């Protein structure tokens, strides 16, 4: 009876956490704290044995990566910034621990959590429109400053929540064999919202899922495999061309220009201009990220330390007279981790990312695999795991997909 009561309370608290994800971080933090406190009290009472903990290798990988943040303080000059990074990444320990020690949920309960998340994300739309429409009616303009002010938090992170909700809708409708009309409507809605708020990384992840999901589906039909191979080849060719164009832009310029002071006031519909501006910025950020990481063998292996990445990058920006980049990260999570903790940190981050992907493929949980592709692409163009909002998104959404019951679990039962 006590176990049933604990599971019900745990599930209600988990609903609060999932529902608060697309909203302000303080609200989500309070809900997470309640869930953590209940899990902790339950573990004091129940004291589950180590062998009863679920997904131990997955949990330990996250703990090991978090431990590297603590170890990196030993060679950090900016100790206060290092402690701040340690606090920001605390969910790397807490979220896997709560899933590992909490009572397992049934598939229908995961479906309920997904619907809660989808509805919560949908409610952010009227919240945004409440601020956007009066401004537009008065000034006939929608700009990036307004978008940032009217979203629950930064539009880049909100964009990834919309992409995640789209993938959940696709999964839920596939399970219920519902009409495809609703999915098409929701797909167009998500695309419209991403274009409106100019969530660049989310747009790229959205495009990747839109391309890869049909390709993966076609792979199950033998007669379409040649067409699938051709499609994938074309996709890689397009990416290669974009990369070569980027290199050409880099080589054909001295990278000296003044920052557009009105960038935050740029029209939300000026997507092309905003993408060009962001891409041009990233060229300098990636260049300095590689330069800092490879400056000597010690930095290459161990990085500059948990709290010194910003200072090291700022020094590189100053040395190249790129003062407009002061304070910017590398905008590539893998490169950012290489700067912080060197090759060791980069390999550990790849292990943290790839282990659940490989494990999910073996279990037949292909939905997580494709969702992970969107995660991976987003991490290539932004440092989502270097701030708390990104950690919250990655840990909760990723772990919920990863813990979803699959074929192996049903066989054991």
């Amino acid at each position: 009876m006590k176990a049933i009561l604990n599971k019900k309370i745990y599930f209600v608290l988990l609903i609060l956490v999932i529902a608060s994800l697309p909203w302000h971080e303080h609200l989500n933090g309070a809900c997470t704290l309640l869930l953590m406190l209940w899990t902790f009290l339950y573990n004091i009472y129940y004291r589950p044995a180590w062998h009863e903990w679920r997904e131990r290798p997955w949990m330990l990988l996250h703990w090991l990566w978090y431990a590297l943040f603590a170890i990196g303080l030993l060679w950090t000059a900016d100790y206060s910034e290092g402690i701040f990074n340690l606090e920001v990444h605390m969910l790397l320990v807490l979220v896997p621990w709560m899933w590992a020690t909490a009572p397992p949920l049934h598939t229908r309960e995961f479906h309920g959590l997904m619907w809660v998340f989808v509805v919560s994300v949908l409610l952010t739309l009227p919240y945004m429109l409440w601020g956007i429409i009066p401004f537009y009616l008065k000034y006939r303009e929608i700009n990036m400053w307004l978008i940032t002010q009217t979203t629950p938090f930064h539009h880049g992170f909100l964009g990834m929540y919309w992409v995640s909700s789209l993938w959940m809708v696709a999964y839920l409708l596939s399970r219920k064999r519902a009409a495809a009309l609703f999915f098409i409507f929701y797909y167009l809605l998500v695309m419209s919202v991403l274009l409106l708020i100019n969530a660049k990384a989310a747009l790229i992840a959205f495009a990747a899922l839109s391309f890869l999901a049909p390709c993966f589906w076609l792979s199950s039909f033998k007669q379409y495999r040649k067409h699938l191979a051709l499609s994938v080849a074309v996709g890689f060719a397009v990416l290669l061309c974009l990369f070569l164009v980027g290199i050409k832009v880099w080589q054909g310029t001295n990278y000296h220009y003044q920052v557009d002071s009105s960038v935050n006031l740029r029209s939300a519909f000026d997507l092309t201009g905003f993408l060009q501006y962001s891409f041009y910025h990233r060229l300098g950020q990636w260049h300095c990220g590689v330069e800092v990481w490879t400056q000597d063998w010690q930095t290459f292996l161990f990085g500059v330390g948990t709290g010194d990445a910003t200072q090291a990058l700022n020094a590189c920006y100053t040395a190249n007279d790129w003062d407009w980049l002061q304070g910017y990260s590398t905008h590539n999570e893998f490169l950012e981790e290489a700067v912080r903790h060197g090759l060791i940190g980069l390999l550990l981050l790849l292990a943290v990312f790839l282990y659940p992907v490989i494990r999910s493929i073996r279990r037949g949980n292909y939905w997580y695999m494709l969702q992970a592709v969107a995660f991976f692409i987003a991490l290539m163009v932004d440092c989502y795991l270097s701030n708390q909002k990104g950690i919250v998104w990655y840990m909760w959404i990723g772990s919920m997909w990863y813990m979803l019951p699959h074929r192996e679990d049903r066989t054991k039962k």
Side-chain angles (χ1 to χ4, degrees), residues 241-253 279 283:
C241 289
L242 290 175
F243 176 76
L244 293 176
V245 168
I247 295 298
K248 188 67 176 178
V249 171
W250 178 259
Q251 293 175 344
T253 179
F279 176 69
L283 290 176

Side-chain angles (χ1 to χ4, degrees), residues 155-337:
H155 57 276
F157 299 104
L158 185 61
M160 290 308 303
Y161 280 121
W162 275 91
V163 173
S164 300
S165 71
L166 173 68
W167 200 233
M168 289 184 185
V169 167
Y171 167 76
L172 292 167
L173 293 182
S174 71
R175 299 283 293 187
K176 295 294 183 180
R177 299 187 182 278
L181 188 61
F182 178 77
F183 173 74
I184 294 174
F185 166 76
Y186 197 81
Y187 181 92
L188 295 174
L189 176 64
V190 172
M191 183 172 63
S192 301
V193 170
L194 295 180
L195 290 172
L196 174 66
I197 65 178
N198 278 194
K200 298 173 289 296
L203 278 167
I204 296 173
F206 174 83
L209 277 176
S210 300
F211 174 74
L212 290 174
C215 287
F216 184 79
W217 178 74
L218 284 174
S219 67
S220 60
F221 301 96
K222 291 183 179 180
Q223 64 269 30
Y224 293 123
R225 286 182 182 175
K226 290 183 179 179
H227 300 83
L228 173 63
L230 179 61
S231 302
V232 173
V234 170
F236 277 112
V238 170
L239 291 175
L240 179 61
C241 289
L242 290 175
F243 176 76
L244 293 176
V245 168
I247 295 298
K248 188 67 176 178
V249 171
W250 178 259
Q251 293 175 344
T253 179
N254 292 325
Y255 202 72
H256 288 269
Y257 76 109
Q258 295 298 319
V259 176
D260 181 1
S261 59
S262 64
V263 63
N264 289 324
L265 301 179
R266 192 187 300 272
S267 170
F269 298 107
D270 185 15
L271 181 64
T272 302
F274 204 78
L275 286 175
Q276 288 176 346
Y277 181 90
S278 299
F279 176 69
Y280 202 63
H281 257 198
R282 280 167 170 78
L283 290 176
Q285 292 157 8
W286 295 339
H287 174 87
C288 271
V290 174
E291 187 173 303
V292 171
W293 178 32
T294 58
Q295 59 185 313
D296 55 57
W297 71 268
Q298 290 178 320
T299 306
F300 179 76
L301 288 178
F302 306 110
V304 298
T306 300
D308 290 355
T310 301
Q311 289 184 4
L313 290 170
N314 284 341
C316 178
Y317 299 148
T318 301
N320 288 281
D321 295 327
W322 302 337
D323 292 333
W324 58 84
L325 292 178
Q326 291 289 320
Y328 277 98
S329 65
T330 60
H331 274 65
N332 180 307
E333 189 60 50
F334 301 100
L335 185 56
E336 186 79 7
E337 180 59 19

Side-chain angles (χ1 to χ4, degrees), residues 5-18:
L5 179 63
N6 167 67
K7 183 175 180 178
K8 289 183 177 180
I9 294 175
Y10 168 76
F11 185 64
V12 170
L13 293 175
L14 192 56
I15 288 176
L16 292 177
V17 171
I18 299 301

